[in-house]
Every structure is written in C-alpha cells, then in structure tokens.
Amino acid sequence: MMTDKVRIDTLDAQSATISNDTYLARQAEFESNVRSYPRKLPFAIAKAQGAWITDVENNRYLDCLAGAGTLALGHNHPDILQSIQNVITSGLPLHTLDLTTPLKDEFSAYLLSLLPGQGKEYCLQFCGPSGADAVEAAMKLAKKHTGRSGIISFSGGYHGMTHGALSVTGNLSPKEAIQGLMPEVQFLPYPHQYRCPLGIGGEAGVAALSYYFENLINDVESGVRKPAAVILEAVQGEGGVNPAPASWLQRIRKVTQEHGILLIIDEVQAGFSRTGKLFAFEHAGIEPDIIVMSKAVGGGLPLAVLGLKREFDAWEPGHHTGTFRGNQLAMATGLTTLKYLKEKNVADKVARQGEWLKGKLAELQKRYPVIGHVRGLGLMLGMEIVKPGEAQDAMGCYPADGQLSALLQKKCFENGLILERGGRNGCVLRLLPSLLITDDELEIFLSKFENALLAAGVKPV
C-alpha cells in the first residue's frame, strides 16, 4: 500500500527552495524541443491571482498574456474556483464523452443564447478540447455539406497546428519540414492597416482587396475551383493583431452567401468580449455559418465548441468524435465565465479601456518612433516595432524590427511584465490581458513598458 502522497502544499514548500533556473533545466531534460514559452519567459510559476503571476523566487509579473487569451477573468478568479469545487463535490462524473448532464444542458442553452439571433438558427458541436480540433471539424463539415473540397484562407491567419488546421495557417515556419499538407487550400491577401498587401493602403486598398476576392470567385478562368468554405479571423491574433475592415468582411459574407460557400469565422482568440464585443465579427454586423470557439469558452479549462447553422448540420452520428468532448469542469467554468461577462457588461468595459489604452500607446509612439503602428480592438492590441532610421517603403512604412521586438519582450519580462510577440518575424508586441484588468493595472503596464524601452536602449525623441 502506497503511503507517500503528492500534495500541492508540499510542492509549495519545495518550490521555495528551488530556483527558476533549476526548474527550467529540469524542464529541458524532461520535455521535447517543441516547448516554446519557457524560452521566452524563463521562470517557474508558483502562484497567480487576477492579472498577476508570482514565480518560485517570489518575483511578481503583470500578466498581459493570460494564457494566450484563455483566462478571460484572469488567474484563479473566485467564481471560477467555486464552480470547480461545486462540480467536484456534486458527484457529477468528470468524464462523460458526449453524454448529457444537467450541467451540459445549462451550458449549452446559455452559450446558444449568446450566438447571433439568440442562437435560434444555430446548434452546437462539442469537439476535442482544442481550437485546432474545432477548426478540423468545421472544414470537414463544410466539405461534407457542399460536396466540394477546396478551402480559402488568408495570409497571416492562424488556425492551429494539427494537419488540416496548419494547412490553412499562414505562418510558413512550422510547415517547412511537413510534406503532404491538405490539398486545395488557396491563400488570399488579408487587409492590413499598416502594410497593405497591395501597396495601396486606406479605403482604396480595402476596396481593391474586396473586389479581388469577389472577382476570384466569379471568374470562370481564375484557376480556383469554387471552395467548400472560407475560413478567417475577424481580428488576426498570431498574425500581428490585424482587425478586418467591416466593409471587407461584409463583402466576403455577401459573396459566400451568393455562391453557397460556408463562412467559418475563427473566434478562438478574439471571442467573448476580448475585442469590446462578445464576438469580433459583430463589429461588421455579419452572421457566420460556423463559429469556432475555444480558449475563453471553457473559462480557463480545455473546451472547444462549434456554433453552426442548423441547415448545414450534415453530420451522421459519430462522424467527428473525440473522447474529451464532455469536460464537465470546463463546462462549469465556461458557464461561470460567460454569465459573468454578459451580466457584468464586461465587453463595454473592455471597449472603453481599449480606446483609452490605444490613445496612451499612440502618445508613447510619438516619443518612441520604434513603435511604428498601434492597432487592435478592445484588449486585443498590438504594437509593430520598426527601424525608424532606415528607408521607408512605398507606403511610408519603416522596415519591421523583429530583433528589437524580441529584446523588448525580454526587457519587459525583466521589468515584471509579460507580453507575447506575433506578426511577420515576430515584430508585433501583443497585449491579451485578463478582461478584468483594472485601469490602475493598465497604468502600471504603461510604466513598465516604457521602462523596458529605455532598458533596451531606445531613446525618446
């Protein structure tokens, strides 16, 4: 009979005697080379609360990553912890495949009520617990419904790392050594507020990209067969925080409807009040055929769900399964999170804070020209780092500076601030904090970020 038990309190006591470096060395020994975040954020986390993380050496960090946007209510929110405890003490099984429980029933009804038209035209599909699996399911369903095989995606898009999801992801680096990716994926240029892919910029650039998409679909000699679906993010996250112009999204919605092409919108990172509206596509006033949801929908625990128009539900029973579709803890924390966001009007708070913070960052940009562009919506913001001493391109933009961006991320970390990078060559510093971050904490962010600029040797003008 075993008597030794691993307990959290003993781990706490142990962590006080082991350094960050020791834990990182052990992680490097235990884990594959594929690990990424510990290389950029070299610490071992001991505790976290709200928007703050404490490492094993008792250093505190303002967390503006929040699990890549997963932790909508921040770390260890008391309502989240209580919902977990309620499930654990209820006698409810933690693993249910896709069997029904009262908790799943309540979660499903509430989530549907948040979809366009209060979900009256939609149904839910519970997928494996990652956003990538939900993307795979969405593309398979579109192909099954239409009988077509092609998918249109967009440069800069990020949809996951599984085989099909990677095929529709713009980033080339993880594709380099992978042969035989999903065929018939056609990439088109995505609008960019700062670096227009057509070299036009402004409303004219958006209009040209809209026309280009419609012409491609209508042109009988485009060389591209009519696709089963178009997949996109209404705000590209990993691609550098690029919000889609409303007029461009509206044109894509119009054309896809006219041609019977399913529109899949990936709301994995941008969904659930992150952009100042419940869903990022709401800024354009459109309704997708399939909505991909993960991250915040599980309240910090693994969960992925599709919201799909009932008319496109062409599945036969069991044609897309997954063992972990019934994560009861995630449904409990997800329901708690969704109710909190809706009942506390968090989206309005996020919209207000986002506009205020963009203004403050624009003021900082005037003093530090290495900040070439500030963009985003709500608390999904990005700062593109550039080389202001070098020649501008035809659009008047300076070259991107991925090296300085990496250095700034390092100096932020040393100043007790956690930021992520994204965009081409990692040149965009990204903010994805808890949606409950306070105004005072945003002031702390600004102070820490400016200190990081100075520590990186950036001189104000």
Side-chain angles (χ1 to χ4, degrees):
M1 180 176 174
M2 293 183 64
T3 57
D4 292 338
K5 295 181 180 179
V6 177
R7 292 170 42 185
I8 293 297
D9 56 356
T10 61
L11 291 176
D12 287 343
Q14 179 190 39
S15 69
T17 64
I18 301 178
S19 68
N20 285 320
D21 287 345
T22 300
Y23 275 115
L24 289 165
R26 288 169 64 81
Q27 187 177 25
E29 179 184 349
F30 296 153
E31 291 192 43
S32 158
N33 287 330
V34 78
R35 69 192 185 285
S36 60
Y37 282 109
R39 303 178 191 276
K40 298 176 283 189
L41 305 171
F43 66 166
I45 298 172
K47 295 179 181 178
Q49 184 64 50
W52 295 89
I53 288 175
T54 304
D55 70 14
V56 294
E57 297 175 5
N58 211 35
N59 302 305
R60 295 185 78 229
Y61 304 83
L62 180 61
D63 181 12
C64 289
L65 176 57
T70 300
L71 300 167
L73 304 188
H75 294 278
N76 291 322
H77 190 281
D79 291 359
I80 295 293
L81 298 183
Q82 187 62 55
S83 66
I84 293 173
Q85 291 169 3
N86 290 347
V87 172
I88 290 173
T89 58
S90 70
L92 190 69
L94 300 182
H95 184 279
T96 63
L97 298 171
D98 64 349
L99 294 167
T100 300
T101 69
L103 173 57
K104 180 179 181 179
D105 181 81
E106 186 178 359
F107 173 80
S108 300
Y110 197 82
L111 178 57
L112 273 171
S113 75
L114 301 178
L115 301 187
Q118 297 185 313
K120 290 182 174 61
E121 295 182 13
Y122 289 83
C123 60
L124 301 179
Q125 178 180 349
F126 289 87
C127 303
S130 76
D133 185 66
V135 166
E136 298 278 357
M139 293 191 295
K140 283 169 58 178
L141 179 59
K143 292 179 180 183
K144 184 175 178 63
H145 171 76
T146 63
R148 301 190 291 268
S149 55
I151 304 286
I152 287 180
S153 189
F154 292 89
S155 55
Y158 180 88
H159 301 289
M161 287 288 162
T162 52
H163 205 70
L166 181 60
S167 301
V168 294
T169 289
N171 192 334
L172 294 177
S173 178
K175 297 182 179 184
E176 286 178 355
I178 309 299
Q179 303 301 318
L181 287 171
M182 188 173 72
E184 289 197 74
V185 175
Q186 177 70 42
F187 280 89
L188 295 180
Y190 186 97
H192 198 297
Q193 293 180 357
Y194 187 55
R195 299 184 186 277
C196 174
L198 300 181
I200 300 171
E203 291 299 321
V206 173
L209 287 167
S210 301
Y211 175 81
Y212 182 80
F213 174 80
E214 185 166 8
N215 186 66
L216 179 84
I217 300 299
N218 287 324
D219 185 359
V220 295
E221 295 199 14
S222 67
V224 179
R225 295 196 298 175
K226 183 184 294 187
V230 169
I231 185 168
L232 60 88
E233 300 161 276
V235 180
Q236 290 188 335
E238 304 297 323
V241 194
N242 293 319
S247 60
W248 180 79
L249 272 181
Q250 290 160 359
R251 180 73 71 89
I252 286 180
R253 174 66 289 191
K254 176 178 177 292
V255 173
T256 52
Q257 282 181 319
E258 289 173 349
H259 289 268
I261 300 166
L262 271 62
L263 178 59
I264 304 168
I265 295 199
D266 183 337
E267 290 276 340
V268 168
Q269 192 169 103
F272 302 105
S273 304
R274 171 62 58 186
T275 66
K277 289 189 180 292
L278 194 64
F279 293 105
F281 62 76
E282 292 180 3
H283 292 277
I286 64 170
E287 289 189 11
D289 298 314
I290 303 178
I291 306 165
V292 184
M293 298 170 278
S294 189
K295 293 191 186 289
V297 79
L301 296 180
L303 191 66
V305 189
L306 294 182
L308 56 99
K309 290 281 185 77
R310 292 179 183 277
E311 64 184 290
F312 304 125
D313 185 13
W315 290 120
E316 298 294 331
H319 279 200
H320 189 90
T321 63
T323 300
F324 295 101
R325 289 171 289 168
N327 188 339
Q328 297 298 292
L329 282 178
M331 291 181 193
T333 53
L335 180 60
T336 296
T337 298
L338 299 182
K339 284 186 173 181
Y340 191 103
L341 294 173
K342 180 71 172 178
E343 293 170 6
K344 302 288 187 181
N345 295 317
V346 172
D348 290 345
K349 166 199 173 289
V350 167
R352 174 186 62 79
Q353 287 181 314
E355 286 304 305
W356 176 85
L357 187 53
K358 275 202 295 186
K360 290 293 183 182
L361 291 173
E363 292 175 10
L364 206 60
Q365 179 184 12
K366 293 175 184 176
R367 300 201 305 276
Y368 298 93
V370 296
I371 304 173
H373 193 233
V374 176
R375 56 180 177 262
L377 294 169
L379 290 175
M380 188 174 181
L381 301 179
M383 296 169 284
E384 183 160 334
I385 305 303
V386 300
K387 302 176 182 178
E390 297 192 8
Q392 296 170 291
D393 63 16
M395 293 286 301
C397 302
Y398 292 108
D401 195 340
Q403 285 189 325
L404 179 56
S405 176
L407 178 60
L408 285 170
Q409 183 185 41
K410 180 174 183 290
K411 294 302 179 183
C412 283
F413 180 76
E414 292 170 359
N415 265 276
L417 175 61
I418 295 173
L419 293 179
E420 178 57 311
R421 297 163 60 217
R424 275 74 169 175
N425 302 307
C427 67
V428 179
L429 293 170
R430 302 169 55 218
L431 284 80
L432 288 166
S434 160
L435 301 184
L436 303 188
I437 194 168
T438 66
D439 293 351
D440 288 344
E441 287 168 336
L442 291 177
E443 292 277 12
I444 293 171
F445 156 74
L446 289 167
S447 175
K448 286 180 176 291
F449 182 63
E450 184 163 13
N451 287 338
L453 285 164
L454 296 171
V458 178
K459 300 288 194 298
V461 296

